[in-house]
Amino acid sequence: MSLKDAATRVRENAHAPYSGFKVGAALRAASGTVYVGCNVENVAYPEGTCAEAGAIAAMVAAGETELLEAYVIADSPMPVTPCGGCRQKLAEFGAGSVVVTMGTTEGREQVMTLADLLPGAFSADHMAGR
Ligand code: THU
């Protein structure tokens, strides 16, 4: 299944009763396996989690720590870019060259790399020697 189809399908499972904004994310990991996640909101609003975070958690839980490609989809007028926190989370497991495609349910797409999304990312290099 394509990343787009996987993200589109998992989006339906999003738990978003507070924002009404369902998001789906799919990651292709180094093995080729696709991991998916959706946003999971909570009545205690800050406890909600983003779709990207869910997909990353699924990938790591399955024993993988390298992502090669990502797709995020939502029903929005323009493609939804990952939030700041999720950009950092994606950068933990993906190189700057990783392509992130952001799609709308209407079929618009925007393609960026992780380096585009998070220029000057804080990385392990900043903690060299520790
Ligand atoms: N959200 C995501 O899951 N991913 C994004 O890239 C942007 C925002 C979720 C969080 C919250 O449940 C809802 O969208 C509205 O912010």
Side-chain angles (χ1 to χ4, degrees), residues 15-16 19 21-24 38-41 48-52 72 80-83 86:
H15 177 69
S19 71
F21 191 68
K22 293 185 167 197
V23 185
C38 55
N39 52 331
V40 182
E41 297 183 349
T49 51
C50 287
E52 298 89 329
V72 183
V80 168
T81 55
C83 77
C86 284

Side-chain angles (χ1 to χ4, degrees), residues 4-5 20 24 36 39 43 58 60-63 95 100 110-111 117 130:
K4 179 182 179 179
D5 287 349
V36 296
N39 52 331
V43 65
V60 174
V100 181
Q110 182 181 0
V111 181
L117 285 165
R130 265 157 254 248

